[in-house]
Amino acid sequence: MDNMKQDKTKVSIIMPTYNESENIIQVLKSIGEHLPEDIATEALVVDDNSPDGTGRIVEDYINDTQNGIGYAIEVIHRKSKSGLSSAILDGIQHSSGEIIVIMDSDFSHPPKIIPQLVEEIETSKCDIVIASRFVPGGVINGWSTKRKLISKTAKGIAKAGLGVNESDPMSGFFAFKRKILEGIKFDAIGYKMLLEILVKAKDAKVKEIPYTFTDRTRGSSKLDSSTMFDYVKSVWKLYRHGREAKVSDTRTSIRFISKAGRFYTVGASGLLVNYIISLLFADAIIDFWYIHATIIGIAVSMSSNFILNKIWTFEDRNFEVKKTLAQYGKFVGFSSLGALIQLGMVYILVDNYQFVYSIALILAVIIAASSNFIFNKKWTFKEKVWS
Ligand code: GDD
Ligand code: MN
């Protein structure tokens, strides 16, 4: 029986491949030569149906060596090229180690660094250890000035936009504890998995150790202009993620008041819309009967109120037709209810309690408007009242 299989896997090495037939076996061998024997390790090669047969070559290699290589290797075959980060994420989901190592399969990332990464995770109190090209001792071999400039720009964007201060947040070579991913949802767009982890696992302790990056000598890089576009997209998403996290940090009272403020601003804009539309239809465009013009004014302003409240006040961007129509129905319902409450209150206050009409009106408007806000918050947009 194979010893490796009995131990619980401790370290999972995730290795995405796309057309790495000239590199992958050498890299796997080299990993085997550098791994300490007492740590149960698995490598997961995540292949995107490489046209050069990378996936099959690894399968053959596994069968030939019958695990004689000293650690477990497995291939995850995906249907088609779906991006580096998403390959990494798939690998993580299939893996079982409590420590995860991510690395490229083209020999840019020297396997001899893996034991150092693992040891740092185990002995220092760090959750993420990055193999960095930019801490003292780190080196880049074989990159053109243009490629260095692209990397520098990407790093600058991450620092300015996301406040990421690590020296090499673009590294594709790093290790981390599986448990830091708990509860995190990933977008996994493009190349920058580490950046997304750094932003979303924001309490994790990070350490960087130097290494020498040597650009591949075989095969070709898959980085192209769409990768750069993906980068901008992912930074934008991470930026929004950061802002949302901040919003939920602010005090409930402030958020409640800010929402109420937006709701009543929308309400005021609705009065204006109502007024203008009614006048347009009654006079300017065609001579509608003034009752019809008023109805059109009400309908248009209710709709504009609904849309503004949905997008702006309650920040709900889900425009699925059925859901939106149901919300619209409730919104109209509660608005009408608000009008009824106002009417009823004025009547009771003036008639039964001898209030002056102007005071009664103010009170009624306040009550109707508040219940309107609360009802819509709770039932139309499904938020907690106090949130
Ligand atoms: N499964 C899969 N799917 N693998 C992919 C895909 C994909 O869509 N795209 C790339 N890969 C694999 C490659 O086969 C390689 O093993 C690794 O991901 C990195 O791809 P390269 O094309 O060699 O990227 P690079 O050298 O330009 O950039 C790498 O190194 C930089 C420096 O560390 C990446 O790791 C960058 O993220 C990193 O900044
Ligand atoms: Mn590479």
Side-chain angles (χ1 to χ4, degrees):
M1 243 258 202
D2 184 356
N3 274 334
M4 273 348 333
K5 288 255 164 77
Q6 285 173 357
D7 299 340
K8 201 168 162 286
T9 305
K10 184 127 203 225
V11 177
S12 299
I13 307 173
I14 314 293
M15 311 180 66
T17 55
Y18 191 74
N19 287 347
E20 300 294 357
S21 63
E22 294 176 284
N23 295 306
I24 187 66
I25 301 302
Q26 298 305 322
V27 180
L28 290 171
K29 280 185 184 159
S30 172
I31 291 175
E33 284 157 17
H34 288 100
L35 282 182
E37 272 170 20
D38 55 340
I39 299 182
T41 305
E42 65 174 358
L44 295 175
V45 175
V46 188
D47 186 66
D48 282 1
N49 200 8
S50 298
D52 75 351
T54 304
R56 187 179 32 81
I57 291 171
V58 179
E59 293 282 7
D60 290 349
Y61 179 68
I62 296 171
N63 291 333
D64 286 351
T65 54
Q66 302 277 340
N67 270 329
I69 188 122
Y71 65 104
I73 303 174
E74 198 185 310
V75 190
I76 298 167
H77 297 277
R78 306 204 303 171
K79 278 207 202 73
S80 59
K81 190 170 188 298
S82 332
L84 176 51
S85 292
S86 97
I88 292 172
L89 197 60
D90 262 354
I92 293 173
Q93 277 155 359
H94 278 84
S95 71
S96 55
E98 56 195 73
I99 298 174
I100 296 170
V101 177
I102 312 292
M103 72 185 291
D104 293 351
S105 314
D106 62 352
F107 259 125
S108 299
H109 301 150
K112 71 163 193 268
I113 305 291
I114 297 172
Q116 286 179 41
L117 293 172
V118 172
E119 198 188 314
E120 286 292 346
I121 293 272
E122 286 193 307
T123 56
S124 70
K125 290 235 149 38
C126 290
D127 305 300
I128 303 174
V129 177
I130 305 171
S132 164
R133 299 161 284 180
F134 303 111
V135 286
V139 176
I140 299 183
N141 283 332
W143 261 14
S144 63
T145 316
K146 181 182 157 203
R147 182 65 209 251
K148 282 184 187 158
L149 197 71
I150 293 174
S151 175
K152 241 199 158 99
T153 311
K155 191 170 129 183
I157 294 174
K159 194 177 162 117
L162 304 171
V164 169
N165 286 315
E166 280 72 22
S167 80
D168 200 354
M170 305 299 140
S171 179
F173 194 15
F174 55 100
F176 58 90
K177 291 181 184 152
R178 170 185 295 279
K179 68 168 202 283
I180 65 168
L181 302 185
E182 269 166 30
I184 297 183
K185 260 191 78 200
F186 288 99
D187 303 320
I189 303 169
Y191 259 45
K192 298 309 166 195
M193 200 60 207
L194 174 60
L195 186 64
E196 189 168 0
I197 293 176
L198 289 173
V199 171
K200 293 190 173 169
K202 60 179 189 313
D203 296 328
K205 285 217 181 61
V206 185
K207 182 165 181 174
E208 297 186 275
I209 60 171
Y211 83 105
T212 300
F213 174 94
T214 310
D215 197 21
R216 59 166 76 238
T217 51
R218 291 156 192 271
S220 54
S221 170
K222 283 87 202 173
L223 185 126
D224 54 18
S225 50
S226 80
T227 314
M228 290 176 232
F229 179 71
D230 282 343
Y231 178 66
V232 174
K233 208 160 88 184
S234 69
V235 169
W236 174 242
K237 278 210 144 189
L238 289 173
Y239 177 71
R240 299 233 358 204
H241 170 86
R243 283 186 43 137
E244 276 160 25
K246 257 190 216 132
V247 167
S248 62
D249 277 349
T250 51
R251 291 225 312 277
T252 308
S253 52
I254 295 179
R255 255 179 305 141
F256 184 88
I257 291 168
S258 130
K259 278 202 178 166
R262 278 178 265 172
F263 189 81
Y264 296 124
T265 309
V266 170
S269 84
L271 290 179
L272 198 69
V273 169
N274 192 339
Y275 183 74
I276 293 172
I277 296 286
S278 305
L279 283 190
L280 276 180
F281 275 85
D283 295 326
I285 302 186
I286 344 166
D287 262 342
F288 270 64
W289 181 34
Y290 71 96
I291 294 291
H292 283 167
T294 306
I295 291 173
I296 293 172
I298 291 176
V300 173
S301 64
M302 271 206 194
S303 307
S304 67
N305 279 5
F306 170 71
I307 291 167
L308 287 172
N309 276 323
K310 183 171 167 71
I311 298 175
W312 186 45
T313 311
F314 296 104
E315 292 161 35
D316 173 0
R317 310 278 146 91
N318 179 346
F319 281 96
E320 196 208 319
V321 177
K322 245 178 104 183
K323 184 180 167 202
T324 309
L325 283 179
Q327 286 176 328
Y328 183 63
K330 286 182 201 166
F331 184 83
V332 171
F334 288 132
S335 304
S336 319
L337 185 67
L340 280 180
I341 292 176
Q342 185 180 330
L343 195 68
M345 268 199 66
V346 171
Y347 178 75
I348 291 170
L349 289 177
V350 172
D351 226 62
N352 294 5
Y353 295 93
Q354 279 76 47
F355 272 65
V356 189
Y357 174 65
S358 59
I359 305 284
L361 188 63
I362 290 173
L363 284 176
V365 166
I366 290 175
I367 299 289
S370 314
S371 49
N372 205 346
F373 174 61
I374 303 283
F375 291 164
N376 278 305
K377 190 168 180 358
K378 186 159 165 53
W379 285 297
T380 308
F381 295 101
K382 302 265 172 0
E383 290 186 358
K384 276 200 204 125
V385 172
W386 185 242
S387 69

